Amino acid sequence: MSAPATRLQIDGDVAEPVSFSFDDLAAFSEVEQVRDVSRFHPKRPGDGVTLRSLLNRVCPRETADYLTLHATKDDFAASIPLAAIVDEAILVYQLDGAPYPEAKGGPFRFLIKNPAACHTDELDDCANVKFVDRIELTSGKGRDTRPHDEVQHEALHAK
Ligand SMILES: Nc1nc2c(c(=O)[nH]1)N[C@H]1C(S)=C(S)[C@@H](COP(=O)(O)O)O[C@H]1N2
Ligand SMILES: [Mo]
């Protein structure tokens, strides 16, 4: 079965917006790959590429200081400080050699290696955006629909 035509777009405050397919990411060099992300999150299997390797290809401008992760599928967004995340995040795109399944948050899922508990920090587990289809570099914080408290959080998870 061939990979779906889905792409991840990276744009905003960058010198060169780029969109990536499954095949593009699978062709990244081995040092840019992160094999078996369950090493960081036991319940989340799969392989990814480093956020750094993606940013190297779009060349963020010096004014970019936030990363805004958009999931069109369920209209979810999280905006997190770039400096704190740049060597801590992975874009998961593959499971067992195939595109990452939607049931697990694919075809692309953002993953922070050591997230804080939900709604305790900007770099929390809620920022591990599923179905991410656009990563926007911004100057200042961008759109963020993450829950702010336990009531909102429960409501989101009940969906
Ligand atoms: N697109 C999207 N990503 C999302 C969410 C969501 O509702 N939509 N929920 C977030 C929250 S609040 C948490 S705690 C984690 C849950 O990840 P899991 O479903 O793999 O346990 O995903 C995050 N990513
Ligand atoms: Mo969460």
Side-chain angles (χ1 to χ4, degrees):
M1 199 179 79
S2 65
T6 326
R7 301 181 80 87
L8 170 78
Q9 170 81 14
I10 307 187
D11 59 16
D13 213 359
V14 300
E16 196 168 337
V18 182
S19 86
F20 299 91
S21 67
F22 171 86
D23 288 342
D24 295 335
L25 299 175
F28 278 27
S29 71
E30 197 53 36
V31 291
E32 297 173 309
Q33 303 284 339
V34 186
R35 303 289 175 193
D36 187 11
V37 298
S38 74
R39 290 180 287 141
F40 310 109
H41 290 262
K43 289 183 187 150
R44 297 184 187 149
D47 307 312
V49 293
T50 62
L51 174 61
R52 181 72 83 175
S53 69
L54 293 166
L55 295 181
N56 285 344
R57 286 165 173 78
V58 300
C59 302
R61 296 205 180 93
E62 278 185 15
T63 43
D65 58 0
Y66 270 79
L67 198 67
T68 304
L69 308 154
H70 300 273
T72 304
K73 180 179 149 68
D74 64 349
D75 197 30
F76 189 83
S79 191
I80 55 182
L82 183 57
I85 199 66
V86 73
D87 288 312
E88 284 298 313
I90 301 162
L91 185 82
V92 182
Y93 71 94
Q94 173 171 263
L95 183 65
D96 299 329
Y100 207 57
E102 195 173 296
K104 297 205 173 339
F108 305 109
R109 183 187 190 153
F110 195 75
L111 205 64
I112 300 168
K113 281 186 189 166
N114 289 299
C118 292
H119 56 80
T120 62
D121 190 273
E122 280 187 296
L123 302 185
D124 69 0
D125 199 29
C126 311
N128 283 327
V129 177
K130 300 182 267 194
F131 336 116
V132 60
D133 54 0
R134 179 179 177 219
I135 298 179
E136 181 193 10
L137 281 288
T138 49
S139 169
K141 195 174 169 94
R143 184 162 189 251
D144 197 320
T145 66
R146 281 180 289 173
H148 295 289
D149 57 40
E150 201 44 53
V151 173
Q152 289 180 7
H153 197 257
E154 292 262 310
L156 177 67
H157 281 271
K159 270 188 190 172

